Amino acid sequence: SRTLVYRTIEEYRMAENKLGVIHYNWPGYDLEGFAQRASEIGYTHCEVRASDIWIDDAVDGAHRAEEVRELLARYGMQISAVEIGNDFLQADPADLDVQVDRYKARCKVIPLTGCDIARSDGGWNRNDQVPQEQWDAMMLDAFKRVADGLEEACVRIALDNHGVTTNDGDWQLSLIQRVGSSRLGVNLDTMNYRWFGHDLEKIDHFYEILAPHVFHVHMKDGTGSRQEYKGAALGDGEINLSYAVSLLKEAGYDGAWTAEYEGPEAESGTGYEKCYNWLAENL
């Protein structure tokens, strides 16, 4: 396993900056293979996906959470966040109740992974069952309900700007304020706002207003929106990553700088090597 004695100032600085990576879009790797390859590149932290822990909804995932934590530790890696796998846009109120109850149960498991962050979606509106004018009220109600148990569970929610329902920074801030819990914050994905269609000036505005509320970050780059979107290694796209980093550091962000790569060189982690090099050079 990796030694924790840092041989150079550079190694110490990178460890302090918690260079992280996500598990769920590395092709050709199971969890252990991913951990080994990511560790070889130099990553020390990672976000795991819901299916890494909750393999079967019939069990609570507690034993598996500890197994995943121990597996990653064998490669010198720590978990920075757990994707909780929720969808709060449900046409049937009973289905929403199921989502909320499952969310609360999963929050009790997350600390067993060694981290306290539930990386959360708002909702996906699969099959277009929920009218857009209902999205805000439905997600607001659900997050208020799950926020009630966060203190006891010792968990924080990092709401992602993901898909088409939560990709507006002004709305994210409004939701946080209306829920009124210090344990509800943001997973800031640096590229997703651009994918949605916001221009770069608006995206920088989102970084500015959300930086004090960021619990976790996806460092992602690319160009274009929707059908024109092309993923890229960090520094090779159009996103103002350095500005986002400066704002987060100024706000006191101390979480993992978690690379997410969606470019053409995913095989064997090549794109993630490039992302790591950018993080190491720019943090």
Side-chain angles (χ1 to χ4, degrees), residues 3 21 35 39 74 76 83 93 120 149 205 209 215 218 259 281:
T3 177
V21 66
S39 177
R74 291 200 295 271
E83 178 214 9
S120 180
H205 161 72
I209 64 172
F215 292 159
H218 287 173
E281 291 169 7

Side-chain angles (χ1 to χ4, degrees), residues 17 67 167 169 269 276:
N17 279 323
E67 285 184 338
N167 239 319
Y276 176 85

Side-chain angles (χ1 to χ4, degrees), residues 23 30-32 48-56 59-72 74 79 109 112-113:
H23 171 214
D30 61 10
L31 181 60
E32 184 163 11
V48 296
R49 57 189 176 187
S51 60
D52 289 328
I53 295 173
W54 294 282
I55 298 171
D56 186 342
V59 297
D60 67 7
H63 179 67
R64 177 61 181 166
E66 293 177 335
E67 285 184 338
V68 169
R69 178 181 182 177
E70 291 168 3
L71 184 155
L72 290 166
R74 291 200 295 271
I79 297 172
V109 172
L112 299 176
T113 68

Side-chain angles (χ1 to χ4, degrees), residues 88 92-104 137-150 157 179:
F88 288 155
D92 187 336
D95 291 335
L96 181 57
D97 290 342
V98 169
Q99 286 282 325
V100 170
D101 290 344
R102 188 180 73 172
Y103 196 110
K104 290 179 177 179
M138 193 171 289
M139 288 189 285
L140 175 62
D141 173 67
F143 281 110
K144 281 184 174 180
R145 290 163 65 186
V146 299
D148 291 340
L150 294 177
I157 297 173
V179 171

Side-chain angles (χ1 to χ4, degrees), residues 5-279:
V5 177
Y6 305 114
R7 295 181 295 275
T8 67
I9 293 296
E10 182 70 9
E11 287 184 6
Y12 178 78
R13 180 177 63 80
M14 288 189 287
E16 285 290 283
N17 279 323
K18 301 178 185 176
L19 303 190
V21 66
I22 64 168
H23 171 214
Y24 36 85
N25 66 355
W26 284 57
Y29 291 96
D30 61 10
L31 181 60
E32 184 163 11
F34 154 78
Q36 181 175 355
R37 181 71 181 103
S39 177
E40 289 171 353
I41 291 171
Y43 290 109
T44 58
H45 290 71
C46 68
E47 176 185 328
V48 296
R49 57 189 176 187
S51 60
D52 289 328
I53 295 173
W54 294 282
I55 298 171
D56 186 342
D57 273 340
V59 297
D60 67 7
H63 179 67
R64 177 61 181 166
E66 293 177 335
E67 285 184 338
V68 169
R69 178 181 182 177
E70 291 168 3
L71 184 155
L72 290 166
R74 291 200 295 271
Y75 295 93
M77 298 190 72
Q78 301 175 45
I79 297 172
S80 62
V82 179
E83 178 214 9
I84 202 164
N86 67 298
D87 185 350
F88 288 155
L89 294 183
Q90 301 290 333
D92 187 336
D95 291 335
L96 181 57
D97 290 342
V98 169
Q99 286 282 325
V100 170
D101 290 344
R102 188 180 73 172
Y103 196 110
K104 290 179 177 179
R106 289 185 171 184
C107 279
K108 295 177 182 178
V109 172
I110 285 174
L112 299 176
T113 68
C115 82
D116 70 339
I117 295 178
R119 206 276 294 159
S120 180
D121 293 314
W124 290 95
N125 195 29
R126 291 180 171 87
N127 301 318
D128 295 320
Q129 294 184 11
V130 180
Q132 186 169 352
E133 59 269 21
Q134 296 179 18
W135 292 357
D136 175 75
M138 193 171 289
M139 288 189 285
L140 175 62
D141 173 67
F143 281 110
K144 281 184 174 180
R145 290 163 65 186
V146 299
D148 291 340
L150 294 177
E151 196 73 37
E152 181 181 354
C154 297
V155 166
R156 295 178 291 163
I157 297 173
L159 173 61
D160 205 346
N161 50 303
H162 212 174
V164 300
T165 67
T166 62
N167 239 319
D168 184 298
D170 291 315
W171 176 85
Q172 284 177 284
L173 180 59
S174 170
L175 181 77
I176 290 168
Q177 292 170 335
R178 285 178 289 155
V179 171
S181 171
S182 62
R183 290 184 174 269
L184 174 61
V186 171
N187 180 83
L188 183 68
D189 186 301
T190 56
M191 179 70 213
N192 279 353
Y193 297 121
R194 181 70 181 123
W195 169 88
F196 182 76
H198 297 291
D199 62 36
L200 296 177
E201 183 178 358
K202 188 69 170 180
I203 294 168
D204 286 349
H205 161 72
F206 292 156
Y207 297 159
E208 291 162 6
I209 64 172
L210 292 176
H213 304 279
V214 173
F215 292 159
H216 196 252
V217 62
H218 287 173
M219 297 296 293
K220 188 194 300 182
D221 207 348
T223 58
S225 301
R226 304 296 179 100
Q227 288 80 11
E228 282 72 47
Y229 166 62
K230 292 182 179 179
L234 297 179
D236 289 346
E238 62 183 334
I239 301 303
N240 194 350
L241 296 174
S242 295
Y243 188 54
V245 167
S246 67
L247 291 168
L248 289 166
K249 286 192 169 186
E250 185 179 344
Y253 177 70
D254 62 356
W257 302 88
T258 307
E260 181 174 5
Y261 176 75
E262 294 179 341
E265 298 179 285
E267 198 68 32
S268 302
T270 299
Y272 276 111
E273 279 196 72
K274 293 182 177 182
C275 291
Y276 176 85
N277 290 335
W278 188 93
L279 291 171

